[in-house]
Amino acid sequence: MKYVNSLLRGATITFGLLFFALPIYASSAFAFKDREGNFSLAPLQRAGANEELMESLFLTLQIAFGTVVITLLLLIPTIAFLHLVLPQARTFVEFLTLTPLVIPPIVQGVGFLYSMPTQLKSTPNALIFAYVILALPFSYRAIDAAFSTIDVKTLFEASTSLGANFFTVIRKVIIPNVMNGIFGAMFLTIALVLGEFAYASLLLWDTFPTQLAVAGLSDANTAVALSVVSLVGVWLILNGLTLFNRRGTTTTMGAL
Amino acid sequence: MSKVVMTNIEKSFGRTHALRDLSLTIPEGSLISLLGPSGCGKTTALRILAGLISADSGQTFFDSIDITNTPAASRDIGMVFQAYSLFPNMSARQNVEFGLKVRKVAPNEIKRKVDDILEITGLAIHQEKYPHQLSGGQQQRTALARAIVIRPRILLLDEPLSALDAQVRDQLRDEIRRVQLEFGITTLFVTHDQEEAMTISDQVGVMHQGSLMQLDLPQRVYDNPENPTVARFIGAMNEIPAVVAGSSAIVLGQRLEISQKSEYSRAVGQHFALVRPEFLLLDAENGEGEEGTISQVAFLGPTSRIHVALHSGTKVIAVLPSAQALQFSPQQRVRVSIGLSSVLVSD
C-alpha cells in the first residue's frame, strides 16, 4: 500500500511538472531554434531592435508595478481587517473577488470606461485599476491563504499589548509573516499584466501583449521568445525574492 | 507597579451577559487569580483590563488614573496569552526586545535589560532560536520574559499554562510566581485550574455566570465558601440529602446548624447539605451517623479516598489520613457522620 501511495504521489508530481514545463519547453524550442535546429538568440535581438515593442514592454512593466503597489495597499489592510474584526465577512469578500472571472471583459471594459475620471481615462494608468480588479481572484487568495496560516488575532493583540500601534504591528509583525503570500500575489499579478490582452486592446492602449500580438503576425519566433523570457524571468525574480526573504527570516528579520 | 481597580463593569455579547457589575481591586504588587469554568467571564474581565475590548459600562483605574478609554497600546501592560503568541519571524531575543524597541529605549539599555531577563528566565541559551525551534514551555517562558522586560504596570496572564503538559506546567507555574515576587508586579491570572490558582495566588476570585462570587485568600475560599456555588466549584464536595427544620437541618441522622451562607428555598422540597470529604467521619463500630457499605478504598499517598454507598442510596466520599484508612476495606459496613457543627444547605 505504501509503495502504491508513493508511486501515485510520484506520478502526480511528474504529471504536474510536465503540465507546466512542457508548454514552456515547446515554446522555447520553437522560439530559440533556427532553421538548422541550432540554438539561437536572434529572436531576442530582433525584439531589442523593435522600438515599439520595447516601449510597450516598459509601459507594461510600469503598469505592472502600479498594479502590484495598489493591489498590496488595498489587500493587506483589508485582509488583516477581515481576519481581525470581521471574520464572518470573509466568505462574502472572497465571493466578491471572484466576480472578475465571471463578468465578460467587454462588460468590464465598458464599465471602466464609464466609471473612470476623464483625466485618468486619457492615460494608460487607467489600466492599473482594471488590472487590480482583474487580478483580485488570484492576489486575494494568495494573501488570504498566508494570513490563514498565522494566528493574526493573537499576534496583533500581543504586539498591541507591548505598545505597538496599528502600523507598527502590520509592518513589523504581520507583513513579515505573510511574505510568501505577498510574493505569490505579486507573481500572479505581474504575470497577469504581462499577458493581459483583452482590456488593453479594448481600451486601445499599446501594451506588451498587444504589441506582441502585432509582432507575432510577422515574426512568431520573436513573440514566443519574449513571452517565454518574461514568464520565466518574473518567476525567477520572485522565487529569488522568496528565498531571500526566507533566509532573512532566520537571520535578520524582526530587527526594528 | 500599580494598584488596579475595576468598578461596576458590565459587558454583553449580543444576548449573553458576560460580566455583571464586576468590581475588583488588585493591590499593588499582588497576584490575584480569577477562577471559574469556561464562559464565566474571567477572560472577558482580563481583556477589558488589557484594553483589548471595551466594557459596556463601568470604569477601570490604574493608581487612581481612569484608563477606561485608554487604548491597549498606551496602557503599559504585559500580557501572556493562552495560545503561543511569539512573533514567528523573530528569534526569542528579538521577541523579548520588541516592546523595548517600540518604546524607543536606548540600544545599550535594551541589551542590558534583555540579557538580565533572559538570564532570570533561563532562556539565555535559547535566545537565538526561533519560536518553531522552542518547546511549548520555552515559548511561554519567552512570552513571559517579553511581557516582563518592559516593566509593565500590570501583568495579565490569560491561562498561560493550559496548553502545556503537567510537568512543564508545574515548573512554569512556580517560575511565574518567583518572577512576579522578584519584580513585585501587580498581576491578574486567569485560569480554570483550581490547583494553579490556589498555589500561586495572594487572593483567588471565583467567578460564575459573569459575577465575582467571592474574592478571598485561597485558604478562606476553600474553608469558608461564600455560597453553595463557590463551595461546589472549589474542591470536592458531597451533596447529602438534608431535612430542613427551622434554623437547623437533619443530615445523616445528626441535627446541625444551617450556615448563614446557605442558599435554599424555604418551601418544602429536596435540600442538600454540602460537606467536604475531609469532614466526613467513618466509624467501624456502632457509632453515630448513617450506615453504609464501603465500595472502594483508593490510596493517594498521605491520604486515602473512601467511597461509601449509604443505605439510603446516597453515595459519599470520605478522605482520611492513609494510616487511619488502613482499618477500612471494600464491602465493610461503616457508620458515616459529619464532624461539623454547621453545614451549608442548598437546593
Side-chain angles (χ1 to χ4, degrees):
Chain A
M1 192 63 191
K2 247 184 182 175
Y3 176 73
V4 175
N5 275 345
S6 61
L7 203 70
L8 272 176
R9 211 170 23 239
T12 311
I13 291 170
T14 310
F15 177 76
L17 285 176
L18 286 176
F19 186 83
F20 286 105
L22 266 182
I24 294 174
Y25 170 75
S27 305
S28 308
F30 170 75
F32 296 112
K33 275 184 186 169
D34 59 19
R35 285 181 185 172
E36 284 75 42
N38 299 321
F39 176 76
S40 164
L41 287 176
L44 289 182
Q45 285 163 351
R46 287 201 296 277
N50 185 334
E51 221 166 85
E52 283 178 342
L53 197 58
M54 286 300 107
E55 268 178 27
S56 72
L57 177 61
F58 288 125
L59 173 66
T60 306
L61 288 176
Q62 204 178 306
I63 291 171
F65 177 76
T67 308
V68 165
V69 170
I70 292 181
T71 296
L72 297 183
L73 285 178
L74 177 74
L75 287 188
I76 294 172
T78 305
I79 295 174
F81 179 80
L82 286 173
H83 278 257
L84 281 169
V85 185
L86 268 181
Q88 64 273 27
R90 278 176 61 198
T91 316
F92 175 68
V93 175
E94 200 174 335
F95 167 75
L96 277 186
T97 64
L98 284 175
T99 50
L101 290 180
V102 291
I103 299 175
I106 182 77
V107 177
Q108 292 182 47
V110 172
F112 279 122
L113 275 178
Y114 276 96
S115 58
M116 284 280 160
T118 316
Q119 298 91 323
L120 195 63
K121 216 174 355 187
S122 58
T123 74
N125 291 332
L127 284 173
I128 291 176
F129 295 92
Y131 290 160
V132 166
I133 293 184
L134 209 58
L136 270 181
F138 317 106
S139 50
Y140 178 85
R141 252 165 206 70
I143 299 176
D144 186 58
F147 268 81
S148 300
T149 61
I150 57 170
D151 187 347
V152 183
K153 194 163 184 259
T154 304
L155 292 181
F156 188 87
E157 289 179 348
S159 34
T160 304
S161 73
L162 289 164
N165 61 33
F166 180 79
F167 295 104
T168 306
V169 178
I170 293 287
R171 201 160 53 91
K172 301 292 177 191
V173 178
I174 304 296
I175 287 181
N177 287 302
V178 294
M179 271 321 265
N180 283 348
I182 290 175
F183 282 133
M186 283 167 71
F187 172 68
L188 292 166
T189 305
I190 294 172
L192 182 133
V193 176
L194 285 179
E196 205 288 321
F197 177 83
Y199 274 77
S201 176
L202 271 172
L203 301 177
L204 303 175
W205 289 109
D206 286 336
T207 61
F208 185 58
T210 58
Q211 280 300 315
L212 214 55
V214 173
L217 294 175
S218 56
D219 185 354
N221 293 58
T222 300
V224 176
L226 277 177
S227 302
V228 171
V229 167
S230 58
L231 182 67
V232 175
V234 171
W235 184 75
L236 284 176
I237 289 169
L238 286 168
N239 268 293
L241 283 173
T242 310
L243 277 177
F244 176 76
N245 170 58
R246 206 170 288 162
R247 202 142 36 105
T249 301
T250 54
T251 53
T252 58
M253 288 301 256
L256 284 165
Chain B
M1 307 349 131
S2 299
K3 175 186 172 189
V4 176
V5 178
M6 298 175 90
T7 53
N8 311 110
I9 302 287
E10 295 271 347
K11 179 71 183 174
S12 295
F13 296 104
R15 288 182 180 177
T16 310
H17 219 133
L19 287 178
R20 299 165 194 269
D21 198 25
L22 174 77
S23 293
L24 173 71
T25 300
I26 311 175
E28 187 177 336
S30 71
L31 190 156
I32 284 188
S33 290
L34 286 184
L35 179 65
S38 296
C40 70
K42 55 189 189 299
T43 296
T44 304
L46 178 133
R47 292 171 68 79
I48 287 173
L49 194 48
L52 297 174
I53 51 174
S54 53
D56 297 339
S57 62
Q59 287 174 293
T60 307
F61 300 89
F62 284 0
D63 283 336
S64 313
I65 300 165
D66 189 348
I67 52 118
T68 310
N69 298 314
T70 306
S74 310
R75 288 196 179 192
D76 208 6
I77 53 166
M79 191 162 173
V80 181
F81 295 79
Q82 180 178 1
Y84 299 138
S85 62
L86 296 185
F87 308 132
N89 58 312
M90 300 183 199
S91 66
R93 186 181 185 91
Q94 288 166 339
N95 264 280
V96 178
E97 288 172 345
F98 185 87
L100 295 170
K101 286 187 172 176
V102 165
R103 285 169 170 71
K104 303 199 186 309
V105 176
N108 56 343
E109 189 69 2
I110 290 178
K111 185 179 180 321
R112 190 184 60 74
K113 285 185 171 179
V114 172
D115 283 344
D116 282 353
I117 198 75
L118 289 174
E119 202 58 51
I120 288 168
T121 50
L123 285 163
I125 55 168
H126 303 296
Q127 58 179 300
E128 298 307 327
K129 290 184 181 168
Y130 281 79
H132 70 274
Q133 297 168 315
L134 297 169
S135 68
Q138 288 164 348
Q139 286 195 47
Q140 287 303 66
R141 227 183 309 154
T142 309
L144 179 67
R146 183 178 68 178
I148 286 174
V149 75
I150 57 173
R151 297 295 171 94
R153 300 172 82 170
I154 177 165
L155 177 64
L156 303 172
L157 307 169
D158 185 9
E159 304 206 36
L161 310 175
S162 60
L164 306 176
D165 60 51
Q167 202 182 349
V168 179
R169 194 162 56 219
D170 289 354
Q171 281 174 3
L172 193 55
R173 182 187 66 199
D174 295 343
E175 205 162 313
I176 286 173
R177 182 55 162 166
R178 179 178 62 79
V179 172
Q180 186 267 331
L181 287 172
E182 194 171 328
F183 287 85
I185 304 174
T186 310
T187 303
L188 181 66
F189 183 72
V190 158
T191 181
H192 63 267
D193 187 309
Q194 294 177 29
E195 192 186 326
E196 256 171 43
M198 294 288 181
T199 315
I200 67 169
S201 313
D202 293 310
Q203 288 188 77
V204 172
V206 181
M207 291 197 67
H208 180 71
Q209 293 180 347
S211 300
L212 183 62
M213 309 298 281
Q214 183 172 2
L215 178 66
D216 216 328
L217 300 173
Q219 181 83 32
R220 285 183 57 80
V221 172
Y222 185 84
D223 288 341
N224 298 300
E226 200 64 43
N227 52 49
T229 307
V230 176
R232 283 191 173 101
F233 184 72
I234 301 286
M237 189 63 84
N238 290 298
E239 298 196 18
I240 304 168
V243 178
V244 172
S247 61
S248 61
I250 297 170
V251 192
L252 299 180
Q254 292 173 263
R255 181 175 288 274
L256 303 168
E257 288 297 308
I258 295 175
S259 162
Q260 301 257 317
K261 292 166 182 169
S262 299
E263 287 173 359
Y264 60 98
S265 57
R266 304 285 161 184
V268 177
Q270 185 82 30
H271 297 110
F272 293 95
L274 305 178
V275 184
R276 295 224 182 268
E278 54 270 32
F279 294 124
L280 281 187
L281 306 174
L282 302 188
D283 194 342
E285 309 297 325
N286 286 334
E288 204 183 8
E290 190 177 326
E291 200 172 33
T293 305
I294 294 175
S295 58
Q296 191 187 345
V297 179
F299 175 70
L300 304 173
T303 58
S304 291
R305 197 166 48 214
I306 300 176
H307 296 248
V308 182
L310 298 175
H311 289 178
S312 61
T314 306
K315 290 178 178 173
V316 294
I317 295 172
V319 171
L320 303 178
S322 287
Q324 200 181 323
L326 277 175
Q327 59 178 305
F328 299 109
S329 55
Q331 307 310 321
Q332 184 181 348
R333 288 189 161 211
V334 288
R335 293 197 80 86
V336 182
S337 59
I338 298 169
L340 293 168
S341 55
S342 70
V343 286
L344 263 179
V345 172
S346 171
D347 288 330

